[in-house]
Each structure stands twice: as structure tokens, then as C-alpha cells.
Amino acid sequence: DVQLQASGGGLVQTGGSLRLSCAASGFNFDERVIGWFRQAPGKEREAVSCIGSMDGITYFLESAKGRFTTSSDSGKNMAYLQMTSLKPEDTAVYYCAVGRWCSRPFGYSWHAYDYRGQGTLVTVSS
């Protein structure tokens, strides 16, 4: 069975940093992509980034470019989202998901992913 677990969320002050982790199992990590999404209270879920060994890295969220870094470790079946210079508007539940392609529209669309994990809450205080 495919399993995904995002972790590493928490409460951080404005300007702080957090690293989210996505632990994956049950599939060939090198043949899939991992997407990061977030959903703020009262807002729609939005794509943050996508990473795959064949696809490279794609950043979808304009506000995150230059502040968020996506990486992965295929030997550990792990993906990471390093977030720096956090702002209150980054407050959201962050999710990871397993898909096939990072290219639009697939990597951008939550529903295009085959497996979607439980989220981890990030709260940025002002």
C-alpha cells in the first residue's frame, strides 16, 4: 500500500524557518513525483512545488519562490520542503502527494495526483 506522511509543521514566528518532510512508501520513488500543496483557512488548496528524478523541480507558488526549497532523498524515500522567511500568509495545512508528472497541468492539480497524504499544520505568528 502507498503511504504518505507529511510532518514537521508547527508554530513559528514571522521570519522563521521550518522544514517539512514527506515520508513515502509503497511505490518506486524514482518513477514518481512528489508534489507539495497547501491550504490556508477559508481558501482553496494551492500547489507549492513538485519534484521528481526525471522531472526536476518546479515551483508553482510565486510568493514562495526564493523562500521555499524543495528537495528529495530517493534512498530514504523522503521529500522535503524547506521554508524560510516565513510570513503569516504562509499559515496553512501543507500536504504532500504522489503523482506522475510535474509539468502543468498535472503537477499543478491536486486531483491529478494518485495518492495524497495527511497534512501538517504550519502556523506563522505575526
Side-chain angles (χ1 to χ4, degrees):
D1 293 348
V2 173
Q3 295 189 353
L4 288 172
Q5 182 62 56
S7 62
L11 176 63
V12 64
Q13 292 185 334
T14 295
S17 300
L18 278 176
R19 188 177 81 154
L20 305 184
S21 299
C22 177
S25 62
F27 62 95
N28 189 326
F29 195 86
D30 291 330
E31 294 182 354
R32 295 300 192 104
V33 301
I34 300 291
W36 285 99
F37 290 79
R38 73 181 188 182
Q39 187 166 21
K43 296 187 178 181
E44 293 187 356
R45 187 177 286 111
E46 55 186 353
V48 177
S49 64
C50 181
I51 185 169
S53 60
M54 299 297 290
D55 292 60
I57 302 172
T58 302
Y59 292 98
F60 298 113
L61 195 63
E62 286 296 321
S63 65
K65 290 181 180 178
R67 299 189 298 124
F68 292 7
T69 302
T70 296
S71 62
S72 66
D73 184 338
S74 61
K76 296 181 179 179
N77 281 14
M78 296 287 295
Y80 305 98
L81 183 65
Q82 177 70 49
M83 305 185 294
T84 62
S85 301
L86 284 163
K87 305 174 182 180
E89 50 264 43
D90 294 318
T91 294
V93 178
Y94 285 73
Y95 301 86
C96 59
V98 180
R100 298 177 184 269
W101 306 282
C102 286
S103 59
R104 291 175 183 259
F106 308 102
Y108 190 78
S109 173
W110 175 252
H111 297 290
Y113 285 76
D114 298 315
Y115 304 97
R116 298 171 282 275
Q118 298 295 318
T120 185
L121 176 63
V122 172
T123 303
V124 184
S125 63
S126 58

